[in-house]
Amino acid sequence: MATLTTKAIELKNKIKNQSNIGLVPTMGNLHEGHLNLVRESLSQHPITVVTIFVNPTQFGKNEDLSSYPRTLDEDIEKLRQLDLKNSEIIVFSPKDEKEIYPSAPLINFSISSLENKLCDLNRPGHFNGVMQVIYRLFKLISPNSAYFGEKDYQQLMIIKTFSHELFPEIEIKAVPIKREASGLAMSSRNNYLNDDEKVDALILKNTLNSLKQNYFSSNESSVNLIKEQIDKTISKDDRWQYLDLLDADNLLAPSAKTTKLIIAGAYKINNVRLIDNTVFNI
Ligand code: PAF
């Protein structure tokens, strides 16, 4: 069964005697990447709450809040098609923003060591907005675990850190990137792309992969070499919003202690901003 509720109070009543809940927060327009998060949760919890809420506080002024795809009926249908075995899905999709934000947030969240890089450079305030909504969902639902995709790697790191400090009882589970047959990372924003643009978008994944290959095929100073190649790549194509190589454990510049690297990029096709990354042990 996948049932829909639109009111926070109803959701609270539905889950009040439940002691083992998985949470999958989404903004809807569900694709296989989201469904994978839900499958993970279903395999580990008798109740999975899937939230579908296009969170206004994480969109900048010139971003796509009003045009962000809203496809609630199709989303619920996709969840109903999942093999639930003995578990249950509760969809929480508030119609009224006030169910999540009864009043405007007065407290800001910031994790400075994980900001001022990658997506935060082009989307100031975005991660505060993400933490605002996650804070409210965690308070409302008190899940045992919450599931996030590795495509939004900086978001995942921020939520892990935020949760470790404010909600240590909630386990944050990371789920690998799901890709289309072409290799393009799945994203609700892929729906904005036509077929030619989808081919263009492969530059993102192909660049990340070739930088990673170059890292392993060079002998010494691989980090410096890759950084030079990144600078060259960006200077040749202004569609890159960022492309960077960082320590995947802390998003700092790689050091002698680094054991895992991330190469992450954001690439713009017309007005559509796509992100992707590759994480690897060294
Ligand atoms: O990754 C997303 O879809 C959103 O940032 C999230 C985590 C659902 C918060 O609105």
Side-chain angles (χ1 to χ4, degrees), residues 25-27 55 58 130 133-134 148 155:
T26 81
M27 298 206 300
N55 172 36
Q58 70 187 73
V130 170
V133 73
I134 295 301
F148 297 89
Q155 165 173 285

Side-chain angles (χ1 to χ4, degrees), residues 103-246:
S103 55
L106 294 175
I107 300 172
N108 285 329
F109 296 109
S110 165
I111 304 176
S112 53
S113 64
L114 296 173
E115 293 172 354
N116 282 314
K117 60 193 77 176
L118 307 180
C119 290
D120 189 52
L121 294 174
N122 312 107
R123 306 190 73 187
H126 167 71
F127 289 116
N128 175 42
V130 170
M131 286 184 275
Q132 295 293 346
V133 73
I134 295 301
Y135 178 78
R136 286 158 177 79
L137 293 176
F138 281 7
K139 296 278 278 185
L140 176 68
I141 298 159
S142 300
N144 299 66
S145 317
Y147 294 78
F148 297 89
E150 287 179 348
K151 180 169 73 72
D152 296 271
Y153 195 86
Q154 189 176 16
Q155 165 173 285
L156 174 66
M157 294 286 288
I158 285 178
I159 291 173
K160 271 188 180 166
T161 309
F162 164 88
S163 187
H164 181 73
E165 192 153 313
L166 296 178
F167 299 92
E169 68 287 3
I170 300 177
E171 198 176 341
I172 303 302
K173 306 255 180 129
V175 180
I177 299 176
K178 187 89 187 164
R179 296 183 181 277
E180 296 187 2
S182 65
L184 184 65
M186 287 194 179
S187 162
S188 300
R189 292 193 169 98
N190 292 353
N191 288 338
Y192 298 139
L193 303 174
N194 63 33
D195 289 349
D196 289 343
E197 289 169 332
K198 279 197 172 179
V199 173
D200 263 8
L202 293 176
I203 293 174
L204 176 52
K205 170 210 135 232
N206 292 341
T207 304
L208 300 175
N209 284 347
S210 62
L211 288 167
K212 174 178 159 185
Q213 269 172 17
N214 295 351
Y215 176 88
F216 285 112
S217 51
S218 74
N219 321 335
E220 303 153 23
S221 309
S222 315
V223 165
N224 290 342
L225 177 88
I226 301 307
K227 285 217 165 256
E228 278 165 29
Q229 292 183 352
I230 284 177
D231 289 345
K232 268 195 203 143
T233 308
I234 293 180
S235 67
K236 278 195 254 157
D237 183 349
D238 64 4
R239 291 176 293 181
W240 287 102
Q241 284 214 323
Y242 67 76
L243 181 59
D244 209 349
L245 169 72
L246 296 169

Side-chain angles (χ1 to χ4, degrees), residues 11-28:
L11 176 66
K12 259 198 132 34
N13 280 334
K14 279 193 175 187
I15 59 176
K16 74 172 178 247
N17 296 322
Q18 304 298 335
S19 57
N20 186 357
I21 300 175
L23 169 64
V24 182
T26 81
M27 298 206 300

